[in-house]
Amino acid sequence: MSTLNDFVTMQLSPEALANTGGNLQQYREKVRAEKLRITCRLLEISCAPAAAEKTAFVQGLQMDMVRLLDVLHYYRLSYQSARSMQTGADEQMRLYRDVEDMLHEVLIGLEQHFPECLLPELPLPFSYAARARRQLQVRVNELVVLLGELPLDGALLELVLRPVRQFLLNPEERISFRSLAYYRELLSQLYVTGTLRADGNELHLQLHAILIHLNFNAIEYYLYCINKLRAWLKGYHHLHDRITGLTWCIKEIRSIPLKNSAAALHAESSPIAAQLYAWLEEERIFLRNVHEEKLQQAAGREAGEKLQTSLTVSQLALMLRIYVEEGIIIRTSLRQVLFFVSGFVKVRRPDTMAEESFEAKYDNPSLSTITACKLWVGRLMERLNDHEKKMRAYVD
């Protein structure tokens, strides 16, 4: 690589080429020979068992190609600026293009055959980014036509294609090798989705599965999903159904595997699956707490609205009859008494508080019930006697 580095840096500058007399074919052949030598070395490295040696060589070659291509980009711009007023074919400009193409082929080989060895965050060379931009533009144009014919949400499609379009619309932007690989994979997966013959709902589910699989962790996509989930949950009128729906969503997201741990639209952000899972889990916990609170409030209201008594239904029926007969309770009908008792009094065994049972016990008390009530009344008399004694002692 030192030979190629020195050759490109020193002999392909506009100043050096100005003194060659116009015979530039020998320079092409020199670069072509170096490229062939690099290709042979890559073939040897690919068969080497030592992974560390292979990675080191590939990464070193990648950095050299990036540096040399940026040097050529600067040379070409300088030369183009110097001859801006001239017209016609230019052999020197054609040489720069040809050398860039040959170095591009080396990078393409690295991307295709050694993707696991590359430095993912290394910026693309300017000319290589321009080449990638032209290729991606063709894919995006095809994809827009294909997906535009399908029953998919236009807002979602615009959101998904936005990162690639931003790269296409900014010629000076330099993305990383990782981002370029991500854009290519994203467009490829979207194209496969576009060829599916499915209804709109199935297509949307498939699209979301791909975005989660590829870790499309844009904040805009997160907000889109949250808004859609909120609208979807509003379709359920019962809290239990909403909780069930959230549980299903959590299960579905968990079942979608990530492409790999490094795949992400934004490497510095957390995975979209983790973000959505966290929101769904928090929402489910919130709804569960609301649901339990409502159940407790309902149980509290039910318990608080009724007077609790240790009497059985038979004993209560007999005592109410005595109260009615003595005029303590004034009523117009037995049904009115039953309505009051069932709504505001809780007996020891409430499951026996049926209308026919209460009426039968009211009209025909058993001897054991009469005896139990007498004992109960006797205890009341004892309490009244105790209070009387205390009051008399206080008066005396």
Side-chain angles (χ1 to χ4, degrees), residues 204-218:
H204 274 98
L205 291 176
Q206 182 68 23
L207 179 56
H208 286 297
I210 288 174
L211 295 176
I212 293 174
H213 173 66
L214 295 180
N215 192 12
F216 191 86
N217 54 350

Side-chain angles (χ1 to χ4, degrees), residues 300-361:
R301 285 196 301 269
E302 182 179 354
E305 288 174 355
K306 291 189 176 183
L307 299 175
Q308 297 190 21
T309 176
S310 61
L311 298 177
T312 64
V313 174
S314 300
Q315 295 166 359
L316 180 61
L318 176 58
M319 293 308 301
L320 286 173
R321 178 175 177 175
I322 299 298
Y323 293 157
V324 170
E325 290 173 349
E326 288 296 318
I328 298 174
I329 294 178
I330 301 175
R331 54 99 176 179
T332 58
S333 67
L334 180 59
R335 188 172 299 278
Q336 184 183 23
V337 176
L338 175 60
F339 176 79
F340 173 83
V341 171
S342 62
F344 298 95
V345 179
K346 185 176 182 180
V347 297
R348 203 189 319 173
R349 291 189 293 275
D351 56 319
T352 62
M353 186 76 93
E355 181 177 342
E356 60 274 9
S357 174
F358 184 82
E359 290 185 5
K361 297 178 185 302

Side-chain angles (χ1 to χ4, degrees), residues 24 52 138 161 314:
L24 303 180
V138 174
L161 293 176
S314 300

